[in-house]
Amino acid sequence: MTEIIQQGLAAFGLDPAAAPVLARYGQLLLEKNQVMNLTAITEPAQVATLHMLDCAALASHWDLTGKRLIDVGTGAGFPGVVLRVLVPSLRVTLLDSLQKRLTWLEELSEALELSEIHTLHGRAEEPGALRERFDIATARAVADLSVLCELCLPYVAAGGLFLAMKGVDSEAEISRAKNAIRLLGGRIESVWDYDIPGTKVAHRVVAIRKTSSTPPKYPRRFAQIKKQPL
Ligand code: SAM
């Protein structure tokens, strides 16, 4: 894995020195995956490309230095942990509703000697005191964009960004989310398509700028978000 990641980071213009740590992360992920459902990807080379390099794309395109970032529905730490490895000054909160995944992420942070990683067990639609406390929110493979915006934009402070990782076939999904984005205080700033180095896979990031505070009535309860997306 180390070599594939090294080459991919270099292709993205990132420092390849982080490759051994990301490869160790991949190795620990595959070991734990034998006893806990963490990923459907089980080939080391694919873990290197489809997890590590896919997530590294964000750090190649946005300056994350010193930012406060929340990764909503982080699962096995994607993209939050990868970004923290690549940007040591990043302060990362990993949010998930499954405690056992977070417990593993705590063990992982210790094994990789990563500080400034905090885990948060809860439902994304209940931001509480963390409302508008982050410069950046990220999410990959969590929900349809209109639902996702209601889960993620409330965490972002005005002026900050929500980076939604999507497939390149997401035109209709993006169109459907436009009303939600406007109601939640955001605007689409850019749609960036990238190739994952070493693969034929193209993915997309929809970057949504938070232009004003999210009205207090959002997010709604999850049943309602699902039943009646904005
Ligand atoms: N982001 C990771 C990735 O790209 O590999 C994990 C994706 S996994 C398919 C979705 C994760 O989102 C799961 O770990 C699930 O527990 C979490 N999740 C889904 N809905 C959530 C919610 N409303 N609040 C918190 N976590 C949620």
Side-chain angles (χ1 to χ4, degrees), residues 68-164:
R68 294 162 302 175
L69 180 147
I70 184 163
D71 186 22
V72 175
T74 190
F78 301 115
V81 175
V82 176
L83 297 175
R84 168 60 189 77
V85 170
L86 294 170
V87 184
S89 62
L90 191 66
R91 286 169 282 165
V92 175
T93 298
L94 304 171
L95 169 66
D96 207 283
S97 53
L98 270 187
Q99 177 62 57
K100 63 180 183 173
R101 290 192 178 143
L102 296 174
T103 303
W104 179 71
L105 287 170
E106 284 159 15
E107 289 165 19
L108 175 78
S109 305
E110 245 184 79
L112 300 182
E113 297 182 30
L114 300 173
S115 58
E116 293 298 334
I117 288 197
H118 305 281
T119 56
L120 182 63
H121 178 226
R123 301 279 318 173
E125 62 275 18
E126 294 166 8
L130 293 184
R131 198 179 178 92
E132 309 206 325
R133 293 284 292 275
F134 294 88
D135 305 304
I136 297 176
T138 53
R140 187 183 81 153
V142 177
D144 187 84
L145 190 59
S146 51
V147 170
L148 201 54
C149 284
E150 191 164 352
L151 299 182
C152 295
L153 277 170
Y155 288 96
V156 182
L161 266 182
F162 168 38
L163 302 175

